Each structure stands twice: as structure tokens, then as C-alpha cells.
Amino acid sequence: GAVVSQHPSRVICKSGTSVKIECRSLDFQATTMFWYRQFPKKSLMLMATSNEGSKATYEQGVEKDKFLINHASLTLSTLTVTSAHPEDSSFYICSATQGTGYTFGSGTRLTVV
Amino acid sequence: KQEVTQIPAALSVPEGENLVLNCSFTDSAIYNLQWFRQDPGKGLTSLLLIQSSQREQTSGRLNASLDKSSGRSTLYIAASQPGDSATYLCAVDRGAGSYQLTFGKGTKLSVIP
């Protein structure tokens, strides 16, 4: 079946630094990828939708300059949290679709200290 | 704005018991509804997907029902096992196969041996 690989699974960074999270579709071409985040005891919330070769579409309240999304190829999307702060600490997870269903990555636990 | 609610937030049952998890959504204009399983620190595993035109789906010991008009879905787990312990998430697709999901907060299930 379709597999999505997400790295890293855990990352701890200092406040003010940037962190990049990768999401790769291993055995299919993902026309669209999605980024979600989940704060403790909260629902998974969609952050942005990215289509290969075009700018990402961000949900209301998500800062596009802070959460940079690049979807340069059909198998890779990256999320960069710029100038991370402790309030950005969360569980980030991607999903990918080739138009007939979607597959989730294993998630990234980001802790900003 | 679509809101998804899951009740109960947590559930503990002895092994072998049958159980029901509940999910409700505020906007009945959904494309499909999906149940996921999330293990601690892990990604999401899709369990069952019900299209808006369907009433239920079954997979092994799992049965999911959908009543779109009333905005409700249930996940029935038969003969629960300790390996079923996880958080179960309900999510609805916004529409037209957008694959942009709105999630509930989940029900944390513990099956006691």
C-alpha cells in the first residue's frame, strides 16, 4: 500500500532557530500534501494544503511566513518552522494523496526550549 | 464551520467487551467520514472510511455506521483486545474529495487484560 515517510520523528530545538520537517511519498506520486498539527488534548488541525509546483494554501490563522511549505516534487514536501518559539511545540503530521485516498506520515514531535 | 465532537474522551473496558465510540459533526454536507487509530507518538492508521452515500462499513471486528442527516457516526468494536488500546479519531472530509479533514479530539481507549 501507499507509504508516507516523515522525518524527523522527534526534534528538540532552541527558541529562535528554524526546523525543517520532511514528508515523502515512497511509492506513489503525491499531487497534494497536507500539513496538520495537534496541540496537547486538542484535535488535529489542518495548517495548509500544498500542491506540487505551486504555493501552499494556508488555513486561517496560520502564518505563512512562519510555516514555510515547499512542495518542489511529486514525492517531497517540507515544512519549515522559522524562528521557532515554545508555543510552536506540537505534533506535526503530513498526509499525501494522489487523488484516490490519502496516507498519513508518522508525525513529528517538535519541542522548542 | 464544521466541528467534530467525540464522546467519550476516554474509555476503559475489560478485555472481551463490546464497545461503541461516538462521533458527531455539525455540518451534514460531508463527502465522507473516516475513523483512524493513533498510537502514542505514532501516525494515523486508517480503519474505516464511509462515503456520504453509505450507511456503514465493516472490517473484521470493527463496524462503523453513518447517519449523515443527524450528523452522527459510531464505531463498534467487538470482543475488544488489549491491542485495541489506542486513541480513535473521527474525521470528516470537507467536501468534493478535497481530502482536507476536520478531526475530533479522539477517544482514548484502554482495554484491560
Side-chain angles (χ1 to χ4, degrees):
Chain A
V3 178
V4 171
S5 175
Q6 186 173 340
H7 292 282
S9 58
R10 292 179 182 272
V11 59
I12 301 173
C13 71
K14 291 185 177 180
S15 186
T17 62
S18 295
V19 174
K20 180 184 284 189
I21 303 169
E22 290 189 350
C23 181
R24 292 181 184 272
S25 56
L26 298 186
D27 50 3
F28 66 101
Q29 294 185 324
T31 52
T32 307
M33 288 187 172
F34 307 89
W35 288 95
Y36 293 82
R37 65 182 170 187
Q38 183 179 34
F39 292 109
K41 299 187 178 181
K42 300 291 186 180
S43 308
L44 274 160
M45 297 291 289
L46 179 66
M47 297 175 65
T49 301
S50 73
N51 293 294
E52 184 265 339
S54 61
K55 290 184 178 180
T57 302
Y58 291 80
E59 295 298 301
Q60 191 173 9
V62 178
E63 300 174 59
K64 63 180 181 180
D65 294 329
K66 181 171 183 61
F67 299 98
L68 302 179
I69 293 173
N70 184 284
H71 192 165
S73 78
L74 284 171
T75 59
L76 174 65
S77 177
T78 60
L79 168 68
T80 301
V81 183
T82 63
S83 187
H85 291 286
E87 57 265 30
D88 298 322
S89 298
S90 185
F91 182 72
Y92 294 84
I93 191 167
C94 67
S95 72
T97 181
Q98 52 183 335
T100 55
Y102 34 75
T103 304
F104 280 83
S106 54
T108 298
R109 175 74 60 189
L110 170 64
T111 303
V112 185
V113 298
Chain B
K1 179 185 175 184
Q2 179 74 274
E3 292 185 2
V4 179
T5 302
Q6 290 187 246
I7 296 173
L11 181 64
S12 183
V13 300
E15 181 177 2
E17 218 172 80
N18 302 325
L19 58 102
V20 175
L21 308 181
N22 298 289
C23 172
S24 62
F25 45 95
T26 55
D27 187 347
S28 62
I30 64 170
Y31 186 71
N32 61 49
L33 182 144
Q34 193 157 359
W35 284 92
F36 293 89
R37 169 184 173 139
Q38 184 177 29
D39 292 284
K42 301 294 179 76
L44 305 182
T45 301
S46 176
L47 298 174
L48 290 165
L49 183 148
I50 311 176
Q51 300 291 349
S52 63
S53 58
Q54 297 175 321
R55 299 283 294 185
E56 66 177 341
Q57 283 287 333
T58 298
S59 176
R61 294 182 294 109
L62 306 179
N63 176 278
S65 68
L66 174 63
D67 184 342
K68 205 174 85 160
S69 61
S70 67
R72 295 181 180 183
S73 176
T74 61
L75 178 66
Y76 174 83
I77 302 177
S80 59
Q81 302 171 357
D84 295 330
S85 298
T87 296
Y88 290 80
L89 300 175
C90 167
V92 298
D93 189 316
R94 293 182 178 183
S98 69
Y99 302 115
Q100 295 173 331
L101 302 178
T102 301
F103 284 85
K105 291 184 181 180
T107 294
K108 186 174 182 179
L109 173 65
S110 299
V111 181
I112 311 301

